[in-house]
Amino acid sequence: MRKLFFPKCVVYICNYLFSVVCVLEPSTEIIGAPDLYIESGSTINISCLVLNSPETPAYIFWNHNNAIISYDSPRGGVSVITEKGETTTSFLLIKNARPSDSGQYQCNPSNAKSKSVTVHVLN
């Protein structure tokens, strides 16, 4: 029996039979990254996908410029919708975008590496 290694996979060969074992790591993707351009007054919609996860994330935190986003802040109009499944998607929605909403947003799932996007709110 021979063992061949590929990135994240092992191939076992025994005479004329072989099997492939691959380990997938959960990954995170933000649609439209690395930059999103939004008109002032419109709704910011940042979509974060958690892929290749054997189980859904226990939680997904969102940050803006390295600070955890509070959904009940005085600014208002900030909400999150999370759809769990084979691919978990978290949508960060910010109504009535203003220039102070510009900056780096980061999606932080409990079981995968974080991913970020830079949002530019245009006047």
Side-chain angles (χ1 to χ4, degrees), residues 40-105:
S40 183
S42 63
T43 298
I44 299 171
N45 180 353
I46 306 173
S47 302
C48 175
L49 290 83
V50 181
L51 309 160
N52 303 320
S53 179
E55 56 188 29
T56 59
Y59 58 83
I60 298 176
F61 289 128
W62 285 91
N63 290 29
H64 178 227
N65 294 332
N66 297 317
I68 294 177
I69 294 175
S70 172
Y71 308 119
D72 58 355
S73 70
R75 187 226 183 272
V78 179
S79 59
V80 170
I81 299 170
T82 300
E83 296 176 352
K84 295 185 176 189
E86 190 172 314
T87 296
T88 296
T89 307
S90 181
F91 303 94
L92 175 64
L93 304 168
I94 303 169
K95 294 181 181 177
N96 195 24
R98 48 184 87 150
S100 60
D101 295 322
S102 294
Q104 185 182 57
Y105 287 82

Side-chain angles (χ1 to χ4, degrees), residues 1-15 17-22:
M1 179 182 287
R2 291 186 330 180
K3 202 188 308 189
L4 304 173
F5 292 93
F6 295 94
K8 306 287 181 186
C9 296
V10 178
V11 178
Y12 295 94
I13 301 174
C14 182
N15 294 332
L17 301 172
F18 71 93
S19 62
V20 179
V21 177
C22 296

